[in-house]
């Protein structure tokens, strides 16, 4: 049976949720422990904030077993200019996380979005050289240190109208769709052990975007496996958008296909975008918990699921703050998207996540 999750249901959920959350925050184990009990790694993306905010660092220490580099290993952060690799931030994030006993995911080695301006003037032959050199240097630098790498991020963006639904950008221009295969093969040569992942957006929703990307991603994965390309895992970002139609059971079935092929599946950037929800902070938090809990209730059943990672760990640093403040510069409203709040205390979503993990 499939279940649609409508905005009306999200808004009506708070009352039901009070009854549904089975434990008080004080009674709950950490999310990492709850996840570990079912063989799952739980964690969050991490940036510089955790090195400057000791309370936030404590939260990572307690709640996570795996962290993903948020922006530090992205091309535009690493390569502000052609001849310089700015490894310092990534080096310190990776060293601190490993020193604290965490697994680390590298994100996003190759992505056609967010590439620096200096790439624009290059010929395809120069782009190809930059691409190869980038993968060789960056993957080799962290070889043996990472749990997994998002080798290619968001390969598809059919809304741009490109043939085959591919996301447009310098790497597609330089190689055509074979950039994906090339990236995986080179990454494997530079680090024989790290799990190599293909990370995609939108597949969790039943909006036109999710529905159009799912078959494209499935075909790509099948093609890569058929060619013997070293692909170990598929990542689903899971940035939930409550205003869109959802069929989380159908998503879980879809994602399970990859697990059944022997691939690992990760939920890589889980959070709830609360932009469409009303201002009332308490009601908004409950609605976020309701949709997040409904999602995990299905998604935790995905075959081959190995990790659940949220995008940052607390509302204090959710990336939606930046987006919201651009769209509504005069608004006092702070987005809520994550298990922990602006005050770093558990949100209702924390209860919903914990319940789903221990179910
Ligand atoms: C986000 C970062 O967290 C922000 O700081 C940045 O401004 C925009 O990108 N999907 C991804 C991530 O794969 O890399 C994005 O990260 C969030 C959406």
């Amino acid at each position: 049976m499939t279940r649609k999750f409508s905005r009306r249901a999200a808004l009506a959920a708070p009352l039901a949720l009070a009854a549904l959350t089975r434990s008080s925050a004080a009674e709950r184990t950490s999310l990492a422990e709850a996840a570990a009990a079912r063989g799952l790694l739980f964690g969050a993306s991490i940036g510089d904030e955790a090195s400057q905010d000791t309370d936030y660092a404590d939260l990572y220490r307690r709640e996570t077993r795996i962290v993903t580099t948020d922006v530090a290993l992205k091309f535009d952060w690493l390569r502000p200019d052609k001849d310089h690799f700015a490894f310092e931030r990534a080096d310190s994030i990776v060293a601190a996380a490993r020193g604290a006993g965490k697994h680390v995911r590298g994100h996003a080695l190759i992505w056609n979005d967010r590439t620096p301006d200096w790439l624009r003037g290059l010929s395809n032959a120069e782009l190809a050289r930059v691409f190869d050199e980038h993968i060789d240097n960056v993957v080799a630098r962290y070889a043996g240190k990472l749990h997994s790498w998002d080798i290619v991020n968001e390969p598809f963006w059919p809304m741009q109208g490109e043939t085959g639904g591919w996301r447009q950008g310098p790497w597609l221009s330089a190689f055509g769709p074979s950039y994906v295969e090339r990236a995986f093969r080179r990454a494997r040569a530079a680090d024989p052990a790290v799990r190599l992942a293909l990370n995609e957006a939108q597949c969790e929703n039943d909006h036109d975007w999710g529905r159009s990307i799912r078959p494209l991603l499935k075909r790509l994965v099948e093609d890569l496996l058929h060619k013997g390309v070293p692909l170990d895992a598929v990542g689903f970002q899971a940035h939930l958008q409550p205003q869109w139609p959802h069929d989380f059971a159908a998503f879980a079935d879809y994602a399970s296909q990859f697990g059944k092929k022997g691939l690992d599946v990760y939920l890589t950037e889980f959070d709830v975008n609360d932009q469409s929800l009303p201002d009332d902070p308490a009601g908004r938090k409950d609605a976020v918990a309701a949709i997040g809990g409904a999602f995990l209730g299905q998604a935790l059943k995905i075959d081959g699921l190995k990790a659940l990672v949220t995008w940052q760990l607390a509302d204090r640093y959710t990336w939606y703050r930046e987006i919201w403040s651009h769209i509504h510069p005069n608004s006092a409203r702070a987005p809520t998207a994550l298990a922990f709040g602006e005050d770093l205390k558990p949100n209702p979503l924390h209860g919903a996540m914990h319940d789903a993990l221990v179910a």
Side-chain angles (χ1 to χ4, degrees):
M1 201 182 78
T2 58
R3 178 165 168 208
K4 300 270 181 208
F5 197 92
S6 66
R7 175 156 185 248
R8 196 185 306 143
L11 301 181
L15 284 178
L17 190 80
L20 281 177
T21 301
R22 283 192 294 272
S23 54
S24 74
E27 287 163 1
R28 291 174 212 141
T29 56
S30 72
L31 292 172
E33 281 170 85
R38 58 189 298 149
L40 202 63
L41 283 169
F42 174 79
S45 73
I46 192 163
D48 287 344
E49 309 84 14
S51 65
Q52 287 146 16
D53 179 337
T54 52
D55 294 336
Y56 197 42
D58 283 345
L59 202 60
Y60 277 93
R61 206 163 297 128
R62 203 176 66 225
E63 297 289 338
T64 65
R65 280 179 69 210
I66 187 164
V67 295
T68 301
T69 57
D70 186 321
V71 292
L73 283 173
K74 285 180 179 168
F75 194 103
D76 56 336
W77 287 80
L78 274 181
R79 310 284 300 273
D81 54 63
K82 189 163 185 290
D83 304 312
H84 176 215
F85 284 78
F87 280 124
E88 301 77 13
R89 308 171 87 192
D91 284 357
S92 72
I93 288 171
V94 171
R98 295 185 78 236
K102 312 292 180 196
H103 297 279
V104 184
R105 307 195 67 247
H107 172 82
L109 186 70
I110 294 296
W111 188 13
N112 271 302
D113 199 20
R114 299 197 173 248
T115 49
D117 287 345
W118 61 263
L119 281 180
R120 255 172 236 156
L122 303 187
S123 68
N124 283 348
E126 286 169 319
L127 282 171
R129 254 197 315 279
V130 170
F131 179 96
D132 288 349
E133 162 205 63
H134 187 77
I135 296 174
D136 297 351
N137 279 352
V138 179
V139 177
R141 187 173 185 94
Y142 300 101
K145 296 184 175 166
L146 303 185
H147 164 276
S148 51
W149 245 122
D150 290 333
I151 297 300
V152 172
N153 197 35
E154 300 182 355
F156 297 109
W157 203 247
M159 299 66 91
Q160 290 172 327
E162 180 74 37
T163 312
W166 296 96
R167 183 187 277 277
Q168 294 169 340
W171 315 126
L172 187 72
S173 302
F175 300 104
S178 70
Y179 84 88
V180 177
E181 172 178 351
R182 189 180 184 97
F184 278 90
R185 291 195 191 278
R186 281 198 97 88
R188 174 55 78 232
D191 185 343
V194 67
R195 310 291 287 163
L196 306 180
L198 182 59
N199 196 43
E200 188 51 286
Q202 305 296 343
C203 296
E204 312 77 21
N205 67 64
D206 226 31
H207 182 259
D208 290 351
W209 295 8
R211 281 203 232 125
S212 56
I213 291 177
R214 284 185 204 172
L216 297 172
L217 181 70
K218 178 172 186 280
R219 208 169 315 134
L220 172 61
V221 168
E222 286 170 354
D223 184 49
L224 295 173
L225 293 177
H226 179 72
K227 290 178 175 154
V229 174
L231 170 71
D232 301 307
V234 177
F236 294 102
Q237 294 183 1
H239 293 292
L240 303 185
Q241 306 252 23
Q243 75 277 21
W244 283 350
H246 291 95
D247 183 341
F248 294 138
F251 164 68
D253 283 348
Y254 168 79
S256 288
Q257 296 175 81
F258 301 107
K260 288 185 180 126
K261 292 181 199 301
L263 297 170
D264 287 349
V265 179
Y266 310 137
L267 298 169
T268 50
E269 306 182 18
F270 173 63
D271 62 15
V272 181
N273 183 340
D274 71 343
Q275 280 174 37
S276 62
L277 299 174
D279 282 345
D280 158 49
R284 206 154 24 100
K285 286 192 172 196
D286 285 341
V288 163
I291 191 169
F295 172 72
L296 291 179
Q298 297 297 329
L300 294 180
K301 297 180 198 160
I302 294 170
D303 283 308
L305 185 70
K306 297 285 164 50
L308 166 62
V309 179
T310 64
W311 208 241
Q312 293 284 340
L313 189 54
D315 293 339
R316 188 179 287 184
Y317 299 109
T318 169
W319 67 301
Y320 297 126
R321 290 183 77 115
E322 190 186 319
I323 297 176
W324 181 259
S325 68
H326 278 300
I327 315 174
H328 303 285
N330 301 317
S331 169
R333 165 177 157 163
T336 180
L338 290 160
F340 298 91
E342 171 128 28
D343 55 4
L344 308 185
K345 302 230 165 66
N347 278 333
L349 179 59
H350 181 266
M353 291 173 69
H354 198 272
D355 281 356
L357 286 166
V358 300

